[in-house]
Amino acid sequence: QHKKWHKDLVLYTQPQAVCQALASYPIVAVRSYNIAPMLSYHCGRNIPVLFSQSQYGRQYDAWVDYAVLNHKTVVMLDKKPWKVAEFQPYFDRVRTEIVQIAGHDFYLLTGEGVKQNTVQQNFIAPIRERFYSPPPWMQALPCYRCNILKPTP
């Protein structure tokens, strides 16, 4: 029986196998801040973090331009099955598939037609409020990330 950390071992010890499995997809993303830079390095292309709820590693919030992804197809990789209902509002169409990498099941979510405005309103705005708003007792100073996360006109 496979332990839950076996997939982590595959990701970190066999990244080329992961990259090969993802090679045919033009835009690939992950939800994990520790996997994205490692795969970006080994795959030789940018693999951003999308739709992460983590309080850590929020630098990707400033780096990802959702306007560039508007109406595009994005394939997201994860170690566990996707909760499709969570992602349906953000895409025109969503489908999932299982891909075998080094004998382990990894899960792909293909989101066709990114809805940038919906992402901005229903995902980015709550992230901005949760992580980039100062508490009421603190003096508000300029915040470059807050401006980056504002919707594009």
Side-chain angles (χ1 to χ4, degrees):
Q1 177 176 350
H2 299 299
K3 302 288 185 199
K4 72 178 192 171
W5 47 264
H6 283 189
K7 291 181 185 181
D8 288 324
L9 286 174
V10 170
L11 286 167
Y12 292 110
T13 63
Q14 300 180 46
Q16 293 304 330
V18 177
C19 294
Q20 184 177 6
L22 301 173
S24 64
Y25 303 107
I27 303 174
V28 175
V30 294
R31 293 181 76 181
S32 171
Y33 289 104
N34 59 346
I35 294 171
M38 185 270 303
L39 285 180
S40 292
Y41 173 79
H42 286 286
C43 297
R45 63 180 176 150
N46 182 38
I47 296 182
V49 174
L50 300 180
F51 299 107
S52 175
Q53 296 288 342
S54 174
Q55 65 182 357
Y56 304 106
R58 302 292 338 166
Q59 182 61 33
Y60 276 93
D61 294 340
W63 293 342
V64 175
D65 184 356
Y66 285 91
V68 172
L69 298 176
N70 199 28
H71 305 295
K72 300 261 173 71
T73 296
V74 176
V75 174
M76 296 175 55
L77 172 77
D78 206 339
K79 298 177 289 184
K80 54 187 183 287
W82 292 94
K83 296 178 181 172
V84 175
E86 289 180 21
F87 297 92
Q88 286 177 327
Y90 304 119
F91 300 98
D92 292 330
R93 284 173 300 288
V94 176
R95 60 181 158 75
T96 61
E97 63 184 288
I98 298 172
V99 61
Q100 280 270 321
I101 304 172
H104 294 275
D105 289 345
F106 286 83
Y107 301 89
L108 299 180
L109 179 135
T110 301
E112 298 175 16
V114 174
K115 298 177 183 177
Q116 179 209 352
N117 290 336
T118 304
V119 172
Q120 287 286 347
Q121 292 169 4
N122 298 337
F123 184 78
I124 297 298
I127 292 293
R128 186 175 56 243
E129 289 299 315
R130 182 173 175 200
F131 295 114
Y132 299 106
S133 295
W137 52 266
M138 183 181 279
Q139 179 185 358
L141 297 173
C143 171
Y144 89 97
R145 287 187 186 184
C146 299
N147 291 332
I148 289 170
L149 296 175
K150 286 184 180 170
T152 53

